[in-house]
């Protein structure tokens, strides 16, 4: 921030944001303060204040792109300072960031009406908006503005065509739109009210009903209008039924827009049930539209992004669409502290033959969370699948050297041994990994649990092998109980695993040892 005429307050607030970039409260204070510079930013403000305002808004909306109201404020600011071209660019960025915001599209189209003298340009924008928000249950305010524009430019046929689309869409105001359509229909030629093939069918039915008796044009017209009216009422009842199905779900959406605060469990449950319903209905366009609404209101919830990507991947030839869902969730919305969707994205890219992209995803997660052991394991196994066991071991070795703490190191060692064991390496080599790292891992549960499982799951076919297995396993358990620095609960957990081994794989004396252990660990 180069602006210094406010006593350093702007720099102080910018510093608070830098300390915690996820804090909406810190960002909000910074934005409000910037707006108030020099008594409020306007075209007479200094270039430094205007530049500071732009920088703050660009950074804020880069972090929180779904706040549609701030896109509107930013556009208003640019309009006041620079003019309509700059405001238009901000609106374009806004609707690209939150494509299904009815309010933002309404504001953009209203702005275009006020600043453009070309009806085709305005109409094109309305059509773009209709493609993005036209199916929204509360989109009537957008459609009202579109109709109002066509009324202003005196295009009654276009108004009728818009209403003809609306009578098929289940919205909050479906009945009002139908009534207006029905009234206009009485003044329009029949050819504008129904498809030509339907009108031809109605004519054929009238001729059949007349039994070959000639009818004059007025009788034909009256008969056709009666059939058209019935046809339109059937559309109304169908739309009414579709609206009624969705009404309970829509009524329970208390916050359809994005905010950083959590949604309550009732709203999350409602989104789950609503998605279940639309998926059951099977209309691809409506399902996608509902998912897009959901991942605005619940943008920080991995659950819905994962569900959306999985559903999309199940549709025919939609892999690229699924990729975009993973990218949006991982790169913009889901906090990296919850990396599950990033790990699934990496597996998706591996599936699609883009292993290099998968490895970059793993690397990015570990840059932010170097001790995230699940990512290290996933990455190692990706390497193993694509490049072989030695490549996986090399990765684990490099991650071990960079590991920031003993827990991470112990988990990497456990995975290292586990990989070698599962893929046919000699048991003696695997056992040596455990033995050589035992002292360093005295307080690490994953290490001891993996070692114990390794010993108890070795294949045995003879009594001598079974005796040797028992001896090695008991030795590990004695080290756990006498030498390790594990917590009492962890020791008890591992002892119970050993007791299960005694019951299922032990010899004649195992029952006695089991009962002794049971008494000792449950004192």
């Amino acid at each position: 921030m180069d602006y210094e005429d406010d006593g350093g307050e702007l720099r102080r607030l910018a510093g608070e944001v830098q300390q915690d970039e996820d804090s909406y409260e810190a960002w909000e204070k910074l934005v409000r303060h910037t707006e108030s510079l020099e008594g409020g930013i306007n075209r007479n403000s200094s270039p430094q204040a205007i530049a500071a305002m732009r920088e703050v808004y660009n950074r804020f909306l880069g972090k929180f792109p779904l706040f549609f109201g701030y896109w509107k404020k930013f556009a208003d600011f640019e309009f006041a300072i620079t003019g309509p071209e700059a405001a238009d660019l901000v609106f374009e960025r806004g609707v690209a960031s939150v494509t299904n915001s009815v309010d933002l599209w309404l504001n953009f189209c209203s702005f275009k009406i006020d600043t453009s003298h070309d009806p085709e340009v305005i109409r094109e924008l309305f059509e773009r908006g209709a493609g993005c928000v036209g199916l929204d249950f509360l989109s009537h305010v957008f459609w009202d503005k579109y109709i109002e524009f066509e009324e202003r430019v005196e295009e009654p046929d276009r108004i009728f065509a818009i209403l003809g689309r609306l009578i098929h869409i289940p919205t909050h105001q479906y009945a009002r739109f139908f009534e207006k359509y029905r009234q206009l229909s009485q003044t329009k030629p029949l050819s504008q009210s129904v498809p030509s093939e339907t009108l031809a069918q109605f004519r054929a039915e009238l001729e059949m009903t007349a039994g070959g008796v000639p009818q004059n044009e007025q009788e034909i017209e009256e008969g056709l209008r009666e059939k058209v009216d019935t046809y339109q009422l059937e559309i109304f009842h169908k739309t009414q039924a579709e609206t009624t199905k969705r009404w309970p779900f829509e009524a329970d959406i208390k916050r359809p827009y994005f905010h950083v605060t959590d949604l309550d469990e009732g709203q999350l449950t409602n989104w789950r049930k609503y998605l279940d319903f639309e998926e059951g209905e099977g209309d691809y366009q409506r399902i996608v539209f509902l998912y897009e609404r959901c991942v605005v209101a619940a943008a920080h919830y991995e659950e819905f992004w994962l569900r959306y990507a999985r559903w999309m991947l199940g549709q025919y030839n939609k892999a690229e669409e699924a990729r975009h869902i993973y990218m949006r969730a991982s790169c913009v919305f889901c906090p990296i502290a919850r990396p599950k969707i990033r790990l699934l994205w990496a597996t998706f890219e591996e599936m699609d033959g883009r292993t290099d992209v998968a490895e970059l995803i793993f690397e990015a997660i570990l840059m932010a969370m170097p001790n995230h052991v699940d990512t290290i394991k996933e990455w190692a196994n990706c390497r193993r699948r694509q490049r072989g066991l030695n490549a996986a071991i090399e990765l684990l070795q490099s991650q071990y050297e960079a590991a920031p703490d003993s827990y991470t190191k112990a988990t990497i060692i456990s995975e290292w041994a586990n990989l070698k064991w599962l893929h046919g390496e000699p048991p003696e080599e695997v056992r040596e990994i455990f033995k050589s790292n035992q002292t360093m891992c005295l307080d690490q549960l994953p290490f001891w649990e993996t070692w114990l499982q390794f010993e108890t799951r070795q294949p045995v076919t003879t009594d001598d092998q079974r005796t040797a297995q028992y001896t090695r396993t008991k030795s590990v358990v004695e080290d756990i109980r006498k030498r390790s620095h594990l917590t009492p609960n962890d020791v008890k957990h591992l002892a119970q695993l050993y007791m299960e081994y005694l019951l299922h794989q032990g010899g004649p004396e195992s029952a006695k040892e089991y009962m002794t252990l049971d008494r000792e660990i449950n004192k």
Side-chain angles (χ1 to χ4, degrees), residues 122-123 148-149 246 288 302 304 316 368 383 392 479 483-484 498 512:
I122 299 169
R123 189 172 291 120
E148 177 189 314
F149 160 71
R246 291 167 176 81
V288 170
E302 265 192 333
F304 295 106
Y316 176 71
R383 280 275 183 95
D479 283 344
R483 295 187 57 204
S484 79
Y498 176 58
K512 180 179 179 180

Side-chain angles (χ1 to χ4, degrees), residues 34-35 40-43 45 49-55 57-58 70-83 86-87 90:
T34 311
E35 291 172 341
I41 299 294
N42 57 60
R43 66 173 57 248
S45 299
I50 293 172
M53 179 70 172
R54 285 196 178 110
E55 180 183 348
Y57 258 95
N58 280 319
Y70 281 96
W71 284 111
K72 171 65 165 58
K73 290 178 69 176
F74 193 13
D76 290 344
F77 158 73
E78 288 291 8
F79 180 68
I81 300 299
T82 310
V90 173

Side-chain angles (χ1 to χ4, degrees), residues 171-185:
T171 64
H172 187 275
Q173 299 288 311
Y174 75 97
R176 176 168 63 85
F177 288 131
F178 177 79
E179 191 57 38
K180 189 168 185 177
Y181 174 81
R182 197 178 185 191
Q183 291 173 1
L184 284 177
S185 180

